[in-house]
Amino acid sequence: MTKIAFITGITGQDGSYLAELLLEKGYEVHGIVRRSSTVVRSRIDHLTEPSHGGSGRLHLHYGDLADSVSLVKLLYEIKPDEVYNLGAQSHVRVSFDVPEYTGDIVGLGAQRLLEAIRESGLGKKVRYYQASSSEMFGKVQEVPQTEKTPFWPRSPYGCAKMYAYWLTVNYREGYDMHASNGILFNHESPRRGETFVTRKITRAATRIKLGLQKELVMGNLDARRDWGYAKEYVEMMWLMLQQDQADDYVVATNETHSVKEFIQETFGLLDLDWEKYVKYDARYERPAEVDLLIGDPAKAKMRLGWEPKVRFKELVKIMTESDLKLAEEEAKQK
């Protein structure tokens, strides 16, 4: 019998990789998209092709995490086996500019979705995945961070994710729902949005290499992050929902690198001296910075048999090569 999955945030980086994975596994996949004046579905356009099962098994619906009625109606209609909540205002720096909106979509959005599952009578049937974040650790209380490390968020985004995390635990304990948190540390790919720091770096460096851009303007270069490959991390989301018991897992590489190292690696691959092109602007600093994130995925390895394969240098190479192709296409059109 074909399993049915429901994904919020399906047009994002993680949502597109997850939809790809689930279609390959034979799932029928449903996702919600917001109605807007510009339709941005480039990350999932290829999934309607026959090689990925065609549009027959991929269904998109208008809906919004701000609209509980639409969520309940869709769940009644779709009756999914698995629900993956990946929808969010996911830019940490932007969350300082739109804190109320961030809290509404990231925090209350999870509340609406969990309650919609319960309200639609699917609470005992559905397996629920909550996209939690290493930003919940913020001002880290221990190194490396594990599932037992206390949270100390340092942004509206981190605070909202923490609310959603504890709601997931509450619904698991209070209503006996199969609800799990994936505490994902930074995970990147060529599908990362261009305003996120890693993609901003690889996009700018490749454009500089081809003379399409003159400089890269950055904020704090000393922040350290645990960077993994998004395509691998969605496998963990799926694995969590295949377990008999719901639980919470750190998904990370247990390595940390600074933003400066990411810049040096990217520009080095392109035979460029990064110091000639990278400029500082205080506007890109956060009001409260998260200085160090490094996650220990030992529990995931022990319980689920998962560990990351793509490491820092290979990740930077994957992203740089992809953006170099984009820059070459752009240069041809000049």
Side-chain angles (χ1 to χ4, degrees):
M1 191 171 173
T2 302
K3 277 190 175 181
I4 300 171
F6 178 71
I7 304 172
T8 70
I10 194 169
T11 60
Q13 170 188 253
D14 293 7
S16 65
Y17 279 124
L18 179 62
E20 205 168 81
L21 177 73
L22 295 177
L23 287 170
E24 285 169 4
K25 291 182 179 296
Y27 279 65
E28 179 182 316
V29 177
H30 295 258
I32 58 171
V33 293
R34 285 176 297 161
R35 178 73 184 93
S36 63
S37 55
T38 55
V39 180
V40 183
R41 298 182 188 173
S42 56
R43 294 185 182 96
I44 58 172
D45 280 344
H46 67 290
L47 297 180
T48 61
E49 296 167 4
S51 59
H52 285 91
S55 57
R57 286 194 290 113
L58 176 64
H59 309 271
L60 301 179
H61 311 264
Y62 286 118
D64 201 306
L65 284 169
D67 180 6
S68 55
V69 175
S70 71
L71 296 174
V72 173
K73 286 172 68 177
L74 283 170
L75 289 169
Y76 267 126
E77 178 189 330
I78 296 164
K79 295 181 173 56
D81 300 289
E82 298 172 4
V83 172
Y84 297 85
N85 184 26
L86 313 184
Q89 187 300 100
S90 58
H91 200 291
V92 179
R93 176 64 190 84
V94 172
S95 78
F96 287 99
D97 300 323
V98 287
E100 183 180 339
Y101 174 74
T102 301
D104 187 31
I105 300 304
V106 177
L108 287 174
Q111 173 81 80
R112 293 183 189 105
L113 186 53
L114 282 162
E115 189 60 17
I117 292 169
R118 195 176 75 87
E119 186 67 27
S120 59
L122 297 170
K124 301 293 184 186
K125 179 202 175 197
V126 161
R127 296 190 171 195
Y128 175 84
Y129 171 83
Q130 172 60 36
S132 290
S133 169
S134 59
E135 287 290 328
M136 300 186 301
F137 295 119
K139 190 176 181 181
V140 299
Q141 301 302 291
E142 65 177 354
V143 178
Q145 294 87 58
T146 72
E147 293 82 2
K148 295 182 179 178
T149 303
F151 299 138
W152 192 320
R154 299 266 284 172
S155 66
Y157 173 78
C159 292
K161 280 291 187 184
M162 186 172 162
Y163 178 68
Y165 172 93
W166 284 116
L167 277 171
T168 303
V169 173
N170 271 249
Y171 273 73
R172 180 168 74 218
E173 295 175 351
Y175 300 114
D176 196 27
M177 284 176 59
H178 193 295
S180 298
N181 281 291
I183 308 172
L184 270 62
F185 280 64
N186 291 63
H187 46 291
E188 317 298 319
S189 76
R191 296 184 193 175
R192 192 51 139 158
E194 292 183 18
T195 59
F196 288 83
V197 65
T198 52
R199 187 75 197 290
K200 179 180 176 180
I201 292 166
T202 57
R203 188 87 176 96
T206 51
R207 295 185 83 247
I208 287 168
K209 177 70 175 178
L210 297 182
L212 298 168
Q213 188 170 326
K214 291 183 178 179
E215 62 185 22
L216 167 61
V217 183
M218 298 290 294
N220 180 17
L221 300 188
D222 297 321
R224 302 185 68 84
R225 294 290 183 269
D226 184 323
W227 276 303
Y229 185 29
K231 188 173 183 179
E232 285 187 335
Y233 281 29
V234 300
E235 294 171 20
M236 264 293 286
M237 299 176 186
W238 176 79
L239 272 173
M240 285 181 216
L241 299 199
Q242 310 316 305
Q243 307 308 304
D244 292 335
Q245 298 295 321
D247 207 341
D248 310 314
Y249 296 90
V250 161
V251 183
T253 69
N254 204 21
E255 292 180 15
T256 188
H257 298 272
S258 68
V259 174
K260 183 186 287 185
E261 285 177 75
F262 202 105
I263 291 171
Q264 289 171 332
E265 187 67 26
T266 304
F267 278 76
L269 286 169
L270 298 165
D271 295 319
L272 293 172
D273 179 359
W274 71 274
E275 291 182 282
K276 290 181 180 178
Y277 304 101
V278 179
K279 312 296 180 190
Y280 172 78
D281 191 325
R283 287 179 301 171
Y284 293 104
E285 295 273 5
R286 299 178 186 176
E289 182 59 87
V290 174
D291 298 314
L292 168 67
L293 290 174
I294 177 170
D296 181 358
K299 180 179 174 181
K301 183 178 180 181
M302 181 180 69
R303 299 263 186 94
L304 308 178
W306 181 92
E307 59 182 325
K309 299 179 184 70
V310 173
R311 297 293 179 167
F312 179 72
K313 286 180 180 291
E314 188 181 349
L315 175 64
V316 178
K317 187 170 184 284
I318 289 168
M319 294 179 66
T320 303
E321 287 177 351
S322 174
D323 273 331
L324 186 58
K325 288 178 183 173
L326 286 181
E328 286 168 350
E329 288 300 315
E330 186 183 349
K332 286 177 188 174
Q333 295 169 12
K334 289 288 183 182

